[in-house]
Amino acid sequence: MNFHDAERLLGLLRQDGFIAVDDPKDADLIVFNTCSIREKAEQKFLSEVGRLRRLKKQEPSKRIAVLGCVAQQQGKALLERMPHVDYVVGPQNISKFKEVLSRESGVLIEDNPDIAFEEIPAQRAEGVSAWVNIMYGCNNFCSYCVVPYTRGRERSRPPESILREVRELVSQGYKEVTLLGQNVNSYRGGVSFPRLLEMVNSVEGLERIRFVTSHPKDLNDELINAVASLQKVCEHIHLPLQSGSDRVLRLMNRRYTYAEYLKKVEKLRAKVPEIAITTDIIAGFPTETEEDHQATLRALEEIQFDGLFGFKFSPRPMTKASKMEGQLPEEVKAERLSEILELQDRITEKKNRALEGRVLDVLVEGPSEKDPRMLTGRTRTNKIVNFYGDTPRGSLVKVRITRGLRHSLQGEVISGSPSGRHI
Ligand code: SF4
């Protein structure tokens, strides 16, 4: 979400003749687009912005702006703490950034109910896949999460506006869109989320549709059927479980039990047998016992996710969980997290190995970062595949998987590139 906010901000500033530069020393305007989902990101930002004090002193005409969730959270206090910062603008007010820039300094962190109706032309990096915001904010108030406080309540973008953007992206050569929302499957823009998927599915020239992030409680039969029947909707869902313990899930205010979650996974797999399911897990939520932690490990064994993002619990300002009794020591959180990650690594590797010999459709993204002699692309199930070949970016090729590794697959092209080599 933050990444795409930055693309929108670039698009907006470009209208005024700004261009992006690599070095803050060359910039007239330095923008920090901040994230406060975890403490670590916030601290990193504070130390980076602190470092610019000297530069600002040497060149007072340089302007420094802080956008995003830390800006929203701290507001005016940030200007007081960091007087070399000129502007503080919350994530709901990106569209008004230029207005603020016309002033000497300013803070803009008001609630913006019109956010869903604003069309800001994003400046995206070249590629085959583009993010498209379909809704903003969140109403769920999971007890650990700062998002409802920084990004406000849910607001859905009208379908016509979304479709306009998707068609425009296709005309620019993008092949895949990822529909974005904090809680994407609770989209209510006059049509249901499955209906929106159907509308996007009918955009000619588009090859693939993805969506993140889904809340398990909003995953209904209609959505499962849409994933099963709409040809362009990829067989992958990111479905954060967060914990395998019902007691912890209740404290997290997640509004599902492990059994309910599991039932939805079974339904998904029954209707879409190839589907890849990835998840998020928080290790060391306040009061989490060894028994709760074991329940999470059992859940990972039982569900066999394709991948997982694991995080140590991080107390965020304003949230209920930050004030809960029973905060765990860092070492316990770290130990539990590493057990979770190790177990999942084994599962992911096993699942990737099981793909050896299979022929999969891969959308070519371009040269691999690690080895530019190779190409990289993704399967419909969102797995990274590296292979030799000279197929242009944006092509769809059939690749036989020759090796399943922990974090990627290797393969050989069997159609689409005559120079495909075995690796
Ligand atoms: S659903 Fe996601 S964004 Fe919303 S409060 Fe829960 S964790 Fe945060």
Side-chain angles (χ1 to χ4, degrees):
M1 186 68 82
N2 260 38
F3 187 83
H4 184 51
D5 280 351
E7 291 178 334
R8 295 164 74 223
L9 183 73
L10 270 173
L12 198 72
L13 290 174
R14 191 176 51 178
Q15 292 175 333
D16 277 8
F18 280 94
I19 51 160
V21 291
D22 291 330
D23 192 333
K25 287 196 194 96
D26 302 329
D28 300 309
L29 170 69
I30 301 168
V31 183
F32 286 88
N33 187 25
T34 60
C35 172
S36 68
I37 200 86
R38 284 188 299 279
E39 208 177 353
K40 209 169 153 188
E42 195 175 328
Q43 281 168 355
K44 208 170 149 191
F45 149 69
L46 288 171
S47 80
E48 288 284 327
V49 76
R51 255 183 246 152
L52 289 181
R53 232 178 238 124
R54 236 182 52 213
L55 187 64
K56 175 82 178 183
K57 217 172 176 181
Q58 287 161 353
E59 288 181 65
S61 65
K62 272 192 197 300
R63 289 173 295 168
I64 302 177
V66 179
L67 274 70
C69 290
V70 178
Q72 184 70 29
Q73 212 173 275
Q74 301 201 7
K76 225 173 151 189
L78 189 70
L79 283 189
E80 283 155 19
R81 197 172 160 192
M82 306 264 179
H84 61 296
V85 169
D86 301 290
Y87 309 104
V88 175
V89 179
Q92 298 181 56
N93 290 293
I94 290 182
S95 63
K96 302 193 184 86
F97 184 51
K98 290 205 288 190
E99 263 170 56
V100 184
L101 265 189
S102 63
R103 296 184 233 146
E104 201 131 291
S105 73
V107 176
L108 192 58
I109 54 170
E110 276 120 57
D111 196 40
N112 176 13
D114 298 329
I115 189 168
F117 299 95
E118 291 165 351
E119 294 194 2
I120 304 177
Q123 188 185 328
R124 296 172 166 93
E126 274 188 14
V128 295
S129 184
W131 304 102
V132 176
N133 254 131
I134 66 159
M135 49 103 63
Y136 302 86
C138 183
N139 294 346
N140 285 327
F141 290 92
C142 299
S143 65
Y144 52 84
C145 182
V146 73
V147 164
Y149 305 97
T150 55
R151 290 195 179 259
R153 296 301 87 75
E154 279 178 17
R155 277 141 196 160
S156 297
R157 223 177 129 185
E160 309 75 46
S161 162
I162 297 168
L163 287 172
R164 230 184 347 263
E165 185 171 357
V166 173
R167 283 194 203 103
E168 173 67 25
L169 287 166
V170 170
S171 75
Q172 290 167 11
Y174 289 94
K175 304 285 182 192
E176 176 182 285
V177 290
T178 302
L179 307 180
L180 267 186
Q182 231 77 47
N183 189 15
V184 76
N185 55 342
S186 82
Y187 172 84
R188 283 183 207 94
V191 299
S192 68
F193 182 57
R195 174 70 192 126
L196 178 73
L197 284 176
E198 213 178 300
M199 292 162 101
V200 178
N201 191 68
S202 65
V203 172
E204 235 171 273
L206 183 68
E207 299 279 359
R208 289 179 170 186
I209 303 166
R210 301 187 187 279
F211 54 91
V212 283
T213 292
S214 302
H215 195 298
K217 79 171 166 52
D218 297 311
L219 176 65
N220 54 22
D221 290 352
E222 198 192 348
L223 178 54
I224 295 176
N225 289 336
V227 177
S229 62
L230 297 173
Q231 191 261 323
K232 294 175 188 171
V233 176
C234 290
E235 293 80 14
H236 169 233
I237 189 162
H238 186 68
L239 200 62
L241 169 63
Q242 307 299 13
S243 170
S245 154
D246 286 345
R247 192 188 70 83
V248 174
L249 286 173
R250 227 176 6 255
L251 284 176
M252 287 176 166
N253 193 29
R254 289 292 288 171
R255 288 181 269 177
Y256 53 82
T257 62
Y258 174 62
E260 285 163 351
Y261 182 98
L262 183 63
K263 211 165 154 198
K264 295 200 177 186
V265 165
E266 284 165 354
K267 266 193 187 175
L268 265 169
R269 285 181 170 156
K271 287 265 182 182
V272 193
E274 293 284 317
I275 197 158
I277 306 175
T278 51
T279 201
D280 293 336
I281 297 285
I282 296 174
F285 189 80
T287 78
E288 186 190 72
T289 61
E290 181 56 30
E291 209 177 305
D292 295 321
H293 170 59
Q294 289 301 326
T296 299
L297 295 176
R298 273 199 305 279
L300 301 188
E301 288 278 14
E302 185 167 23
I303 294 177
Q304 301 276 304
F305 289 107
D306 290 78
L308 169 161
F309 294 104
F311 309 99
K312 283 190 289 180
F313 170 74
S314 167
R316 306 311 300 129
M318 298 180 274
T319 63
K320 270 195 181 159
S322 66
K323 299 175 202 111
M324 281 179 186
E325 307 246 317
Q327 303 283 330
L328 300 187
E330 281 304 306
E331 316 83 77
V332 175
K333 293 195 254 181
E335 206 173 300
R336 287 183 185 168
L337 177 62
S338 76
E339 282 180 38
I340 288 165
L341 296 177
E342 270 167 38
L343 170 59
Q344 184 57 46
D345 271 354
R346 284 200 297 277
I347 295 170
T348 304
E349 197 173 349
K350 190 178 79 188
K351 294 198 91 162
N352 284 351
R353 268 210 219 115
L355 293 172
E356 288 174 7
R358 293 276 311 275
V359 173
L360 303 174
D361 286 337
V362 173
L363 180 61
V364 181
E365 291 178 0
S368 149
E369 268 179 30
K370 278 193 190 146
D371 180 354
R373 292 169 307 159
M374 296 178 87
L375 291 174
T376 193
R378 274 170 204 267
T379 64
R380 287 178 60 98
T381 51
N382 209 29
K383 295 188 188 261
I384 295 170
V385 188
N386 294 309
F387 52 97
Y388 285 106
D390 55 6
T391 330
R393 180 163 70 193
S395 324
L396 270 169
V397 286
K398 294 222 175 280
V399 175
R400 178 177 292 116
I401 304 305
T402 52
R403 222 170 140 203
L405 303 168
R406 195 162 275 189
H407 300 294
S408 63
L409 304 169
Q410 290 184 347
E412 58 185 356
V413 178
I414 62 164
S415 80
S417 164
S419 66
R421 271 198 283 158
H422 182 84
I423 54 168

